[in-house]
Amino acid sequence: MVNGYTASSLKEALTILAETNAVPYAGGTDLMLENRPGVKYLFLKKIPELRSITADERYIRIGAAVTFTEALASPLVPPLMKEAVSHIAAPAIRNAGTFGGNIGNGSDKADTVVVEFAADAKARIVSKEKERIADIDKVFLSRKHLGLSDGELIAEILLPRKGLERYAYTKVGGRQSQAVSFVSFAGVFGLENGRITNAAAAFGAAGDAVQRYRDIEKSLIGKTPDEAKKVKADYLRAYEERILVNQSRVGPEYQRIVCLNLLNDFLSRFGV
Amino acid sequence: MADIRFVLNGKETEYHGSATERLLDVLRNQYRCTSIKCGCREGECGACAVLIDGILHNSCCVAAGAVDGSSVVTLEGYRETARFAALEKAFAAVSAVQCGFCTPGMILAAEALLSKNPHPSEDEIREGLSGNFCRCTGYNAIVNAVSGAAKEGNGLW
Ligand SMILES: Cc1cc2nc3c(=O)[nH]c(=O)nc-3n(C[C@H](O)[C@H](O)[C@H](O)COP(=O)(O)OP(=O)(O)OC[C@H]3O[C@@H](n4cnc5c(N)ncnc54)[C@H](O)[C@@H]3O)c2cc1C
Ligand code: FES
Ligand code: FES
């Protein structure tokens, strides 16, 4: 094939990646818009190892070349992820776009990545020589900066099986379909024996990176919702000071207010 | 070097050009499938829609090499089917075509929807067509047409 490689197994793909400068191509919905001159693509969609959704004791494992449409149809994919995916673009893009491509594109507007941050997801990264599991924030660093070396591919996204039941997800965009986010928010709440065990809050599209502030989250951990209510004003103020916003079309102040409103709604939903 | 082998509208074919070319351009320029329109080249408008292995894709966002081993259907092939006849009749009945630029994409999006969901609600039709822009009709006629095709073409999907 002129300017392209196909592989029928992951092993074959990793060998091609190690020996050539081919660019991994999954659904093409970002790559074809970039239309980089002089590239060769390594087509991933027909590699069975990248195409399945499975579950083990701890994780739901979503293959990097699984499409958004396939994830929506899978009973294994948690509702939080499905909610984010259902808001992505329109059917034809969801039929093509993949989880690996959403990370690989390196956009802070990537809707599944925001969920992965809130969910403490991991990625299984493979290369010809080795494989490793990395936390999502070590793979997706900031806009166009990924923690991947040459020859490495994302093979799977690992979402925790437990703890994602209480969640909030909101995408604020310009219109219903085909909207790229102005702000996206994913929150995961945990409560055990009346005490807060998790208050993960991730923001996309506002700064250059997906933002999560674990030190501020900690101020709620171990408290009852009533106790947490008493420190909520300080908690929101801390976010107000820390949240990074950008010069998007909607303006930084609007973005900041939306972020804080979404955070407030998230906590209120769980009695805080 | 092996070529890109795929089935286009039921016929096996080999493409010798670059795997990085847009499927949209290859199908229009090389194969003269001019039902496929180029509205935006950004995946936004759906005018370039095709079915790849039965699944709706915007061909401006697909590299030619990605269809190696796949079956591609454009309106040129789809128009030979009884399903197309039902959709054509339904579109004509409610004047769901004005300039016609969006129509091939709309028809293929309708086929993709009805093949998964033969009796969609109005909301489901709107969602199924949400990636296809029409600048003439205001959409209601198209939604009615798809709904009409689902009813009249009962059993086809
Ligand atoms: C009209 C339109 C609307 C969109 N709307 C949204 C939206 O609402 N939300 C959203 O999040 N995105 C949106 N997108 C962006 C895009 O669809 C997503 O980012 C999608 O997940 C990209 O996946 P892909 O498989 O198409 O990626 P590709 O274009 O194939 O690849 C993207 C990048 O990832 C790399 N890559 C792919 N797979 C791997 C892998 N396994 N390992 C390492 N690197 C890899 C590629 O080399 C490339 O750099 C939209 C795009 C379009 C065209
Ligand atoms: S030309 Fe492909 S979606 Fe508009
Ligand atoms: S009929 Fe003209 S764009 Fe739809």
Side-chain angles (χ1 to χ4, degrees), chain B residues 48-103:
Chain B
C48 66
V50 298
L51 300 173
I52 301 178
D53 297 324
I55 296 171
L56 191 73
H57 282 79
N58 290 337
S59 62
C60 67
C61 299
V62 177
V67 299
D68 184 54
S70 288
S71 166
V72 178
V73 171
T74 69
L75 200 78
E76 283 80 359
Y78 185 66
R79 61 179 303 155
E80 307 300 329
T81 64
R83 290 176 172 188
F84 172 77
L87 280 164
E88 184 186 33
K89 202 168 150 206
F91 270 62
V94 296
S95 304
V97 179
Q98 288 185 28
C99 80
F101 191 83
C102 69
T103 312

Side-chain angles (χ1 to χ4, degrees), chain A residues 83-256:
Chain A
E83 186 155 340
V85 166
S86 69
H87 287 93
I88 292 177
I93 298 294
R94 291 199 293 271
N95 290 341
T98 66
F99 285 80
N102 211 211
I103 301 173
N105 184 44
S107 162
D108 54 299
K109 297 182 176 64
D111 289 320
T112 65
V113 178
V114 179
V115 169
E116 287 154 10
F117 266 71
D120 289 315
K122 297 174 190 295
R124 186 164 70 88
I125 313 287
V126 291
S127 66
K128 195 175 170 219
E129 282 81 33
K130 60 178 185 68
E131 95 166 49
R132 63 191 175 94
I133 306 270
D135 291 338
I136 185 65
D137 59 357
K138 299 288 179 298
V139 182
F140 184 95
L141 304 175
S142 63
R143 184 179 298 161
K144 298 295 171 199
H145 287 110
L146 298 175
L148 291 179
S149 308
D150 286 348
E152 283 191 325
L153 266 187
I154 304 161
E156 285 180 325
I157 288 84
L158 279 58
L159 289 173
R161 268 192 99 152
K162 295 203 185 94
L164 303 184
E165 300 79 13
R166 295 185 178 93
Y167 68 86
Y169 177 81
T170 312
K171 170 173 174 168
V172 182
R175 56 179 187 244
Q176 279 262 307
S177 72
Q178 302 284 46
V180 174
S181 315
F182 294 155
V183 171
S184 59
F185 174 82
V188 177
F189 194 79
L191 192 72
E192 269 170 43
N193 303 322
R195 301 214 167 253
I196 297 168
T197 54
N198 191 10
F203 301 88
D208 267 357
V210 176
Q211 301 177 61
R212 193 172 156 189
Y213 298 102
R214 289 170 196 272
D215 56 323
I216 311 180
E217 289 171 16
K218 257 193 205 145
S219 67
L220 303 183
I221 305 299
K223 294 190 167 57
T224 64
D226 277 342
E227 288 166 355
K229 246 187 227 166
K230 292 186 187 131
V231 298
K232 191 174 175 184
D234 291 340
Y235 163 96
L236 289 173
R237 208 167 306 119
Y239 272 99
E240 190 173 356
E241 281 166 15
R242 290 280 283 286
I243 278 184
L244 301 172
V245 286
N246 56 26
Q247 295 297 333
S248 70
R249 268 183 294 165
V250 294
E253 266 327 295
Y254 172 79
Q255 265 189 340
R256 193 187 313 276

